[in-house]
Structure formats: structure tokens, C-alpha cells
Amino acid sequence: ESRGDIFSAAPAHAGRSPLRRAVPDTAACDRAMQADLGRIRTLMETQEIWREEGLTITSLAARASLPEAHLRRLINDQLGYRNFPSFVNAHRITAAKARLADPDEARTSISAIAYDIGFASLGPFNRAFRDETGQSPSEWRRRALNGPDETENV
């Protein structure tokens, strides 16, 4: 065999760079990520699993059929939350604000609302609510139902 014959035969991957083959298909990755985010949104927004007391990232990952580390990255990088508890609490606090501002719920105790939306006790609910809104739940309710105090600058 001559040297020319060895180098003249086209390799099996002719026309494809080995480096190019190693680069993921970004469109397929984007579609997969959107599908993963869609499953998370369905669980959180449609099925409202955030209402479950004791919801963990492990249980959400299992229900979304995602590895826990991947779910953490999606929550942090794609959805913009600093961690899993802040992600869940954001859904819970949104629901709490709506209920606290609802005149039909004015006689429902704040603790009943907190327990109904998935908090196991009032302390964590009050902290999460204040972190999210800058107000206590009772202040939020008062302002939502009665408007701001007349002495305050709005």
C-alpha cells in the first residue's frame, strides 16, 4: 500500500468535524429546556402543588421527571429565583396577597390563609410575606381593603 492510498481514503466522518459533533444541538436543548419548564409551570400553576405543606425539591423533581440538580439550575438560572424555597414561597405569597385583598375573605384569619396555602406555621409565613412585600400580612390586608392611611404619602 502506498502512502498516498492511506491518506486518500475518506474517513468515516468525512465532512463532519469531530469538534462539531461534540457541540450540542442548541435548538434541541432549548426545546428540551422549554419542555422541562412547561412541566414545572403545569405542576406549580395548574396543579398548584405549592399548596402542599412540606413540598420539597426532591418531590417536585420526581413529579416533573427531572434530576434534582437540573431542577435547581432551572429555578435559579431560567426562572430567576435564588433557591427552591423562594420559588415556592413566591407562589404562596401571590395567593396570600390575593386572598388578603379579597373583601369576601376579610373574616378569614391570616393563620388560616397561611395554612391553606402550604405554610406549616405562622412564623415562616410572616417572614416570607414581609420579604416579598415589605409589609406584614395584616398591614397588607388593611391597605388592600381600606387603602393607605390618609397621613401616608403614596
Side-chain angles (χ1 to χ4, degrees):
E1 225 174 297
S2 73
R3 183 169 161 83
D5 290 343
I6 294 173
F7 291 102
S8 65
H13 65 276
R16 290 183 290 160
S17 163
L19 290 176
R20 188 183 254 322
R21 244 188 0 222
V23 174
D25 177 352
T26 55
C29 288
D30 286 346
R31 284 190 302 276
M33 182 181 60
Q34 290 305 317
D36 294 344
L37 289 169
R39 283 196 306 281
I40 294 166
R41 285 188 183 104
T42 296
L43 288 165
M44 295 299 284
E45 296 167 11
T46 304
Q47 296 180 21
E48 294 185 343
I49 67 167
W50 49 265
R51 289 182 177 276
E52 296 175 11
E53 183 181 320
L55 178 68
T56 65
I57 192 160
T58 302
S59 63
L60 178 57
R63 289 168 79 171
S65 301
L66 295 171
E68 190 175 317
H70 181 60
L71 177 58
R72 285 184 194 283
R73 280 192 305 277
L74 290 172
I75 288 169
N76 298 147
D77 300 341
Q78 298 302 313
L79 299 174
Y81 294 93
R82 71 178 178 269
N83 55 36
F84 176 73
S86 66
F87 172 60
V88 173
N89 286 346
H91 287 83
R92 291 175 174 170
I93 299 306
T94 297
K97 290 190 303 187
R99 290 190 60 189
L100 292 169
D102 183 350
D104 293 337
E105 296 267 3
R107 292 183 165 254
T108 305
S109 72
I110 290 172
S111 59
I113 291 171
Y115 299 136
D116 188 48
I117 62 172
F119 282 92
S121 63
L122 206 48
F125 168 69
N126 285 330
R127 280 190 295 281
F129 197 94
R130 188 174 290 280
D131 287 348
E132 178 79 19
T133 66
Q135 300 174 355
S136 71
S138 55
E139 289 171 319
W140 176 271
R141 174 179 263 175
R142 180 180 47 77
R143 289 182 179 182
L145 295 176
N146 301 325
D149 290 341
E150 292 178 20
T151 59
E152 294 182 45
N153 292 329
V154 181

